[in-house]
Amino acid sequence: MGDLDGARASLESSRVLCAERELPEVMVRVHQERAELYAARGDFAAAFAEHKVSFAARESLHLKERQSQAQTQTRQVMFETAEARQEAERFREQARHDPLTGLPNRRYVDEELPGLIATDPDLAVGIADVDHFKRINDTLSHDVGDQVLTQIAGLLATGLAAFAPDGFVARLGGEEFLLVLPTTRLSTAIEGLDRIRRAVSEHDWQDITADLPVTVSIGVAGVNEAAPRSQSAALSTADRNLYAAKRAGRNRVVSGTPRERRPRAYRDRGAA
C-alpha cells in the first residue's frame, strides 16, 4: 500500500509484543518483514543486516526445537527403559511365585535358600505335606483341593510369621510346602511348627471339605544336622523326618530320625 512509515510502526509494535510474550516463531517473521521494509525504502545495508538477524533467529529457533525433541526422545527412552525394567521385575516375581497360592515357588527357594544356609548356622527348615490329599481330590474335586491348598498356604504363612517373622513359606509342588526359619533353634522350630500343625487340624474346614478332615505332617531339620551344609542335605533330612511322620500315623511333627543305611535322595519316596 506504500505506507512505509505505518509498516515500520506496526512491525516495531509487533517486535515489542513478541519480546514481551516470548513468541520466537512470530519474531522470525517480524525480522523478515523488517528486512523487506528496509529494501523497499532502498536501505539495502539495513535490509541485509536485518536479514542476518532473521536468519540467526530462525536457526536459534530450529536449534531449540531440535534440543526439545532430543530431550523428549531422551525422556521417552528413559521412561521406556524404566518401564521395561519394571516389567522384567514383574515377570521375574511372577516366575518366582506360585500362581495358585501366591507363595514363593521352588525357583525362589533355589535362588534364596543356599545363601541363607551358607550364612545362618541356626537355620531350620520344615517340609509340610497335606495328609491324604489325593482322597480330597478324588472324593470332592480338584477345585476343592485347590481351595484346601490356598487355605493351608495362608495358615502356614500366618503361623510362621508369629514366631519366625524373617522366614518364608514356599510351595514346593503339589501338596508339599517348605517352611524356612532363620536363626531358629531346632527345639523352637519344632514347637512353632507343631502350633501350625494344630492350627491346620483345628481349622473349620466344614465349608470346604464337609466331613473330610484336613491335616498336615511336618518333617523338621536344622541345617547343621548334615555336613557339609547344603540345600540338598537340609531338604533330604527334613524329607526323611516327614516320611517318618507319615509312617507314624500322620498329623504330627517329626525331627531327629536316624539316617538310613542307604540315604534316600530328596523326594525319593512314594506319595503319602
Side-chain angles (χ1 to χ4, degrees), residues 16-144:
V16 172
L17 286 172
C18 288
E20 290 176 349
R21 303 183 183 183
E22 298 182 352
L23 304 173
E25 298 89 349
V26 182
M27 183 68 89
V28 170
R29 293 181 58 191
V30 169
H31 287 305
Q32 291 172 341
E33 294 292 337
R34 281 164 61 95
E36 293 183 10
L37 174 62
Y38 286 130
R41 298 178 62 175
D43 190 348
F44 298 108
F48 180 67
E50 195 68 33
H51 175 73
K52 289 197 297 183
V53 172
S54 172
F55 179 80
R58 185 170 64 250
E59 287 301 304
S60 176
L61 179 61
H62 289 168
L63 176 61
K64 290 179 179 179
E65 289 176 346
R66 289 194 294 270
Q67 289 175 339
S68 178
Q69 291 174 354
Q71 290 174 351
T72 300
Q73 292 173 350
T74 300
R75 285 194 295 268
Q76 180 66 24
V77 169
M78 292 174 63
F79 173 77
E80 292 176 353
T81 301
E83 192 175 51
R85 283 198 297 264
Q86 292 172 356
E87 191 70 13
E89 184 62 24
R90 282 196 294 270
F91 285 139
R92 180 172 181 269
E93 285 305 303
Q94 289 174 1
R96 286 157 43 100
H97 285 77
D98 172 51
L100 175 64
T101 63
L103 293 177
N105 59 14
R106 183 59 189 260
R107 175 177 292 183
Y108 180 96
V109 171
D110 291 340
E111 292 177 0
E112 301 295 331
L113 187 55
L116 293 174
I117 291 175
T119 58
D120 184 0
D122 291 326
L123 185 79
V125 296
I127 297 180
D129 187 273
V130 184
D131 298 324
H132 299 298
F133 185 69
K134 186 176 184 301
R135 182 175 64 186
I136 295 173
N137 277 338
D138 293 346
T139 304
L140 301 174
S141 70
H142 286 277
D143 178 65
V144 171

Side-chain angles (χ1 to χ4, degrees), residues 113-114 117-118 123 125 222-224 226-237:
L113 187 55
I117 291 175
L123 185 79
V125 296
V223 295
N224 276 328
R229 299 203 308 260
S230 69
Q231 175 174 319
S232 176
L235 294 184
S236 292
T237 303

